[in-house]
Amino acid sequence: MKKWMKPFTAMLMAVTLVSGLGGAMTADAAKSNEKGKIVINGSSALLPLTLQAASEFKKDNPKVKISASAAGSVTGPQSVRKGIADIGAVDWDASKDVPGFKKFEGQVANPVAVTVFAAVVNSNVGVTSLTTKQLQDIFSGKVTNWKEVGGTDGKIVVVNRKFGSGTRVNFQQKALEGKDFMSKGDNYKEVGSSGDMKTTIETTPNAIGYIDLPYVTSKMKAVSINGVAPTEKNVLNKTYKVWGIGYYMTKGQPTGATKAFIEYIQSSKFQNGSLKKLKFIPLAAVK
């Protein structure tokens, strides 16, 4: 090697080494120094969103531990009040009174997503659209056979969520316009979560229930209400009314890792990315 090339080669190697270190430093800098543990409980309707957001958030925040469970909306703010959860996922604004539930004093409602709820039937049911009146009659137990609402002869099995479910609150107020559910009978079932509702509708012939869109599968049918399908488009054009905003309840304003996690879910990156893929609607889309 020529003498004049030796210093140049050494300098080039040094630049390459520094560049490599700089790249590593940049990659390390991308990792947050946020620390802590976030415990989330509540809505099973929001659970798919919570789990996906947690998976993404932890990639950039490896020092934050997140655990999530879903025992129904009302358990979310109850867990926050008891101090056993940092976030209570709920399908209504639990900082205000709603029919059947008093507000949770001292808690802040942080909106995270728009959720679309649908009446769903087992794949063997021939009905694809029901009116508000027909839904009221079915869920109250007044109509008991599918042939009474344009379907084939078959005894209707009504599947309901247990009291305290946010999906139940939204469906009762918006799809049934506040009318009461039936509560007993050999054609009545009650389940504890969105996952249980999904399984029951998929496996029970002639069944009808309700669920949010992320749980709808090819083994069931989402029914149109008054001829309007439960889709994002129809929510945004204001023709489909059975939807609500999901909230993360916190004790006072969120801080630390909890604040960072909620801000990640509310960010345009997540709202317009994974959230939409999961069949939720971004908050900004609904005026």
Side-chain angles (χ1 to χ4, degrees), residues 214-232:
Y215 286 93
V216 175
T217 71
S218 60
K219 296 179 181 179
M220 64 178 77
K221 290 185 288 189
V223 177
S224 295
I225 299 177
N226 301 317
V228 182
T231 64
E232 176 181 354

Side-chain angles (χ1 to χ4, degrees), residues 22 32 50 66 74 103 114 118 125 147 173 178 185 189 193 196 208 259 274:
S32 168
T50 298
I66 302 176
V74 76
K103 65 181 179 181
V114 175
V125 175
K147 67 181 180 181
Q173 293 303 311
K189 296 178 181 288
S193 69
D196 293 338
I208 183 171
K259 181 175 184 287
S274 297

Side-chain angles (χ1 to χ4, degrees), residues 209-258:
Y210 50 88
I211 206 166
D212 59 308
L213 290 188
Y215 286 93
V216 175
T217 71
S218 60
K219 296 179 181 179
M220 64 178 77
K221 290 185 288 189
V223 177
S224 295
I225 299 177
N226 301 317
V228 182
T231 64
E232 176 181 354
K233 178 182 177 181
N234 289 336
V235 169
L236 298 183
N237 67 25
K238 300 182 179 180
T239 58
Y240 189 79
K241 310 296 184 182
V242 191
W243 60 273
I245 296 176
Y247 295 88
Y248 278 176
M249 305 302 298
T250 56
K251 188 175 182 179
Q253 293 293 339
T255 60
T258 299

Side-chain angles (χ1 to χ4, degrees), residues 167-180:
T167 305
R168 172 173 170 154
V169 169
N170 278 277
F171 191 79
Q172 184 172 15
Q173 293 303 311
K174 296 162 185 174
L176 304 183
E177 296 183 347
K179 297 295 183 181
D180 289 335

Side-chain angles (χ1 to χ4, degrees), residues 86-103:
D86 304 290
I87 292 174
V90 60
D91 299 317
W92 68 83
D93 182 349
S95 68
K96 301 176 181 177
D97 291 338
V98 298
F101 300 94
K102 292 291 185 181
K103 65 181 179 181

Side-chain angles (χ1 to χ4, degrees), residues 112-280:
V112 292
V114 175
T115 310
V116 184
F117 302 99
V120 289
V121 296
N122 181 270
S123 59
N124 85 308
V125 175
V127 170
T128 58
S129 183
L130 293 165
T131 66
T132 298
K133 181 65 164 58
Q134 288 172 329
L135 284 170
Q136 291 171 336
D137 289 346
I138 289 170
F139 280 96
S140 68
K142 183 177 179 180
V143 167
T144 59
N145 195 297
W146 284 113
K147 67 181 180 181
E148 297 177 67
V149 291
T152 55
D153 185 19
K155 189 174 183 179
I156 298 172
V157 178
V158 172
V159 187
N160 198 9
R161 288 288 303 278
K162 292 181 179 179
F163 184 78
S165 157
T167 305
R168 172 173 170 154
V169 169
N170 278 277
F171 191 79
Q172 184 172 15
Q173 293 303 311
K174 296 162 185 174
L176 304 183
E177 296 183 347
K179 297 295 183 181
D180 289 335
F181 291 106
M182 62 188 298
S183 58
K184 59 184 179 180
D186 59 0
N187 65 324
Y188 177 79
K189 296 178 181 288
E190 206 168 80
V191 296
S193 69
S194 296
D196 293 338
M197 176 69 78
K198 179 183 83 71
T199 300
T200 303
I201 294 297
E202 286 179 337
T203 58
T204 307
N206 296 318
I208 183 171
Y210 50 88
I211 206 166
D212 59 308
L213 290 188
Y215 286 93
V216 175
T217 71
S218 60
K219 296 179 181 179
M220 64 178 77
K221 290 185 288 189
V223 177
S224 295
I225 299 177
N226 301 317
V228 182
T231 64
E232 176 181 354
K233 178 182 177 181
N234 289 336
V235 169
L236 298 183
N237 67 25
K238 300 182 179 180
T239 58
Y240 189 79
K241 310 296 184 182
V242 191
W243 60 273
I245 296 176
Y247 295 88
Y248 278 176
M249 305 302 298
T250 56
K251 188 175 182 179
Q253 293 293 339
T255 60
T258 299
K259 181 175 184 287
F261 180 61
I262 292 174
E263 287 178 345
Y264 177 75
I265 290 180
Q266 294 173 333
S267 70
S268 58
K269 175 186 176 181
F270 186 77
Q271 291 277 313
N272 294 310
S274 297
L275 181 141
K276 291 186 71 174
K277 291 178 182 177
L278 288 169
K279 300 180 183 179
F280 292 91

